[in-house]
Amino acid sequence: MANILILSINPILADQWKTILSEEHKINIVDTINHAIGHIQMNPTDILIIDADAADFDTDTTALAQIQNTALKALIIGRDWPEDQQIHALISGFSGYCEYDAAADQLLKATNSLLKGDIWIQRHLVPKVIGHLIELTNAQTIQTEKTTPAHNNLQTLTHRELDVAKMIRAGESNKTIASLLNISERTVKAHLTSIFQKLEVQDRLHLAVLLKEIIQ
C-alpha cells in the first residue's frame, strides 16, 4: 500500500479518484500546490496526482519547480493536452500524463505503473521523449555519465538483464519483451527491478536514456 496525494480543486472529482485508488492505497487530498508541498514535506508520499486545473503550468513555475525538486513521482491529469505539451511535461521531470476522460479506467493502473518505476504516456510518444532528453544532454554531461556508477555497473548485469535493458532502450513493452525472450511478464519486472538498482536509475525512461548513451 502506497501513500498517494491528490491535488485537485474539484472535490467531487478528487473523491472519485480517491475511491478508485483507495482500493489498494492510502489517499490524501489537498486543493492547492502550496498545501501539496506542505503535505509532502511533513508526510511520507509516494505518488502525487495533479489535476491540471489546480495548477497553471504556464505561471505557477516556482511552485511546480518545488514539487519537481522533491523528486516525487507525479502524474498529471489534463484535458486534451497536445503531444508536445505531454512530452515537455515528461522531460521536465513529471512521470506521466493521463486524460480526464480516461482517468476512471486508467488511474489505478497508471499509479501502479509509476510505483514500479515506469512512466505513463502514450506508447508512441516514448521514443520522442527519449530523443528530446538525449538532445538536451550536452557533451560534458555525456562524458560525466560515462564515469558514473551507473556506467561502471553495466558490467554487473547478467546476460538476460542486458537483453531486457536493450529492449527497454528500443522502447519495447514488458509484454513484448516477455514474448521475445519466452519468459513471463513477472520475470521481466523482476529483471527491471534488479537493473534499476544496479544502474542506479529510477525508471525505464531514465534507463533508456542512459543506455542510448553508453551502449552502441
Side-chain angles (χ1 to χ4, degrees), residues 57-167:
F57 285 81
D58 293 323
T59 62
D60 291 344
T61 54
T62 300
L64 288 169
Q66 286 182 272
I67 290 177
Q68 291 166 303
N69 288 338
T70 66
L72 188 68
K73 295 179 184 298
L75 175 71
I76 299 169
I77 302 182
R79 300 182 191 276
D80 300 319
W81 277 25
E83 291 185 353
D84 286 348
Q85 190 174 6
Q86 296 179 41
I87 291 171
H88 179 72
L90 267 289
I91 65 177
S92 297
F94 294 97
S95 300
Y97 173 83
C98 179
E99 283 288 337
Y100 275 95
D101 292 344
D105 295 325
Q106 298 182 358
L107 184 56
L108 182 58
K109 184 176 180 180
T111 300
N112 287 339
S113 291
L114 265 59
L115 287 169
K116 292 184 294 186
D118 293 342
I119 61 171
W120 188 264
I121 197 170
Q122 298 177 75
R123 178 170 164 72
H124 74 276
L125 294 182
V126 173
K128 295 182 181 180
V129 174
I130 293 173
H132 277 276
L133 285 172
I134 291 174
E135 289 175 5
L136 292 173
T137 305
N138 58 37
Q140 181 179 359
T141 303
I142 292 173
Q143 185 60 40
T144 300
E145 283 188 344
K146 290 185 177 181
T147 62
T148 61
H151 178 268
N152 296 334
N153 289 344
L154 187 64
Q155 62 187 341
T156 67
L157 299 186
T158 66
H159 178 73
R160 183 48 57 90
E161 287 172 350
L162 189 58
D163 288 340
V164 171
K166 288 179 177 179
M167 291 184 184

